[in-house]
C-alpha cells in the first residue's frame, strides 16, 4: 500500500541522486569540486560522452522532466561504466571501486520504472493536461 509520503520520498531520492550524478559531470568538465584522480587531460572521448550524458540526464532528473527516459539512459551509462571500468579490475565491487556505479545504475532503473514522484515538471505537466 502506498503511503502519502511515497511520492515525496521518491522525489527526494530522485533529486539527491541526480545532483550527485551531476557532480560527476562537473568533476569531468570543470574539475569541481575536485579533479577526478587518474583521468588524463584532455578527457578521452568516452569520458566526454559520459560527462555529456551526466549533464543532460542529471539536469532533467533534478527538474523531473522526461524523468523516466533520462533515468533509463543514466542507468545504462552506469551499467556500461561498471562493466567497462570496474569489473575488469576484479569481481568484487567493494574492491574494484564499482559500488557507486552499481548503486546509481539500480536507483536510476527504479526511477525509470517508478517515475518522478512529487515535485517534478513531469507531474506538473500531467496535472495541467488533465484540467
Amino acid at each position: 500500500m502506498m503511503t502519502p509520503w511515497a511520492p515525496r520520498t521518491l522525489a527526494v531520492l530522485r533529486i539527491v541522486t541526480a545532483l550527485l550524478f551531476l557532480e560527476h559531470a562537473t568533476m569531468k568538465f570543470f574539475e569541481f569540486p575536485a579533479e577526478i584522480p587518474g583521468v588524463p587531460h584532455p578527457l578521452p572521448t568516452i569520458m566526454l560522452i559520459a560527462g555529456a550524458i551526466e549533464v543532460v540526464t542529471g539536469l532533467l532528473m533534478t527538474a523531473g522532466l522526461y524523468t523516466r527516459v533520462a533515468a533509463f539512459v543514466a542507468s545504462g551509462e552506469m551499467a556500461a561504466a561498471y562493466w567497462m571500468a570496474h569489473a575488469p579490475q576484479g569481481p568484487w565491487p567493494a574492491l574494484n571501486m564499482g559500488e557507486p556505479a552499481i548503486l546509481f545504475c539500480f536507483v536510476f532503473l527504479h526511477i525509470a520504472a517508478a517515475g518522478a514522484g512529487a515535485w517534478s515538471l513531469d507531474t506538473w505537466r500531467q496535472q495541467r493536461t488533465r484540467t
Side-chain angles (χ1 to χ4, degrees):
M1 181 172 146
M2 294 274 288
T3 69
W5 285 98
R8 295 177 185 118
T9 58
L10 176 59
V12 170
L13 177 68
R14 170 184 51 84
I15 293 165
V16 169
T17 306
L19 289 172
L20 290 171
F21 197 56
L22 194 55
E23 183 179 34
H24 286 269
T26 64
M27 290 177 73
K28 286 178 182 74
F29 293 131
F30 307 117
E31 296 181 358
F32 178 81
E35 66 181 340
I36 302 171
V39 174
H41 286 281
L43 290 175
T45 302
I46 196 161
M47 295 290 279
L48 290 171
I49 293 167
I53 291 170
E54 291 160 7
V55 167
V56 172
T57 61
L59 289 172
L60 286 172
M61 286 187 288
T62 299
L65 182 62
Y66 302 109
T67 305
R68 290 179 191 266
V69 172
F72 186 75
V73 170
S75 176
E77 182 203 346
M78 288 293 93
Y82 180 79
W83 290 109
M84 291 172 70
H86 299 284
Q89 297 178 36
W92 305 109
L95 301 178
N96 68 23
M97 308 304 285
E99 290 173 309
I102 293 170
L103 285 170
F104 274 126
C105 177
F106 283 94
V107 169
F108 291 146
L109 190 59
H110 172 70
I111 292 169
W119 311 320
S120 70
L121 292 176
D122 288 340
T123 301
W124 177 77
R125 287 177 36 221
Q126 189 176 34
Q127 290 171 346
R128 196 164 170 231
T129 58
R130 284 188 204 154
T131 58

